[in-house]
């Protein structure tokens, strides 16, 4: 018979970091990185090369970034580090999702049958 592995709850800081990343709500423009010490000239080089979002930078390979004219290996490392500070790319555990879902409030539509179909109404933050 297979053993069931018990996992410990995530640290409060991990849940908060994940929730902050989820609140971002969409792709962030590269200009966001100026607040994290990235030069405007580097952002311009990235945009000219077709990288327009922080998520795009975070997911791009270092090799592809090094191929952009004017970006050295050291600069690519700095850019990736800045992007990873802004965009959480880590693994999300079910415990983290459950923790954030506990704070969800259901908003009634005013029609009991529709609320029943929707499982209690609309979720806060879903519209």
């Amino acid at each position: 018979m297979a053993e069931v592995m018990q996992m410990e709850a995530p640290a409060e800081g991990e849940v908060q970091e994940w929730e902050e990343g989820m609140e971002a709500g969409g792709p962030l423009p590269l200009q966001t990185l100026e607040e994290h010490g990235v030069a405007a000239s580097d952002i311009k080089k990235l945009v000219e090369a077709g990288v327009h979002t922080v998520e795009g930078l975070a997911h791009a390979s270092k090799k592809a970034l090094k191929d952009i004219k004017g970006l050295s290996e050291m600069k690519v490392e700095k850019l990736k580090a800045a992007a990873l500070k802004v965009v959480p790319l880590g693994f999300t555990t079910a415990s983290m999702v459950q923790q954030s879902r506990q704070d969800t409030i259901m908003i009634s539509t005013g029609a009991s049958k529709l609320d029943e179909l929707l499982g209690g109404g609309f979720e806060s933050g879903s519209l």
Side-chain angles (χ1 to χ4, degrees):
M1 203 170 220
E3 288 185 36
V4 176
M5 193 165 98
Q6 295 292 326
M7 295 184 66
E8 60 185 60
E12 183 63 33
E14 289 177 348
V15 172
Q16 184 177 5
E17 181 181 310
W18 178 80
E19 285 177 340
E20 287 170 2
M22 293 303 288
E23 288 174 4
L28 298 170
L30 277 177
Q31 288 70 17
T32 307
L33 294 179
E34 286 186 43
E35 299 167 9
H36 296 275
V38 176
S41 60
D42 293 336
I43 291 173
K44 183 179 178 191
K45 291 172 191 173
L46 289 167
V47 170
E48 289 173 354
V51 180
H52 299 281
T53 64
V54 177
E55 291 82 359
L57 175 60
H59 289 289
S61 70
K62 289 180 183 178
K63 182 182 182 321
L65 294 173
K66 283 190 268 186
D67 290 344
I68 297 172
K69 186 176 180 181
L71 296 183
S72 65
E73 187 171 346
M74 192 166 69
K75 194 165 278 196
V76 167
E77 292 289 333
K78 180 182 171 187
L79 289 168
K80 292 284 279 186
L84 292 174
K85 284 181 187 176
V86 177
V87 178
L89 292 181
F91 180 76
T92 304
T93 65
S95 309
M96 290 174 161
V97 174
Q98 180 187 19
Q99 180 100 15
S100 69
R101 299 276 301 154
Q102 287 176 345
D103 298 332
T104 302
I105 299 169
M106 300 305 281
I107 302 169
S108 174
T109 63
S112 59
K113 292 290 184 183
L114 182 56
D115 285 347
E116 188 178 315
L117 285 170
L118 294 172
F122 292 108
E123 294 180 357
S124 61
S126 66
L127 297 178

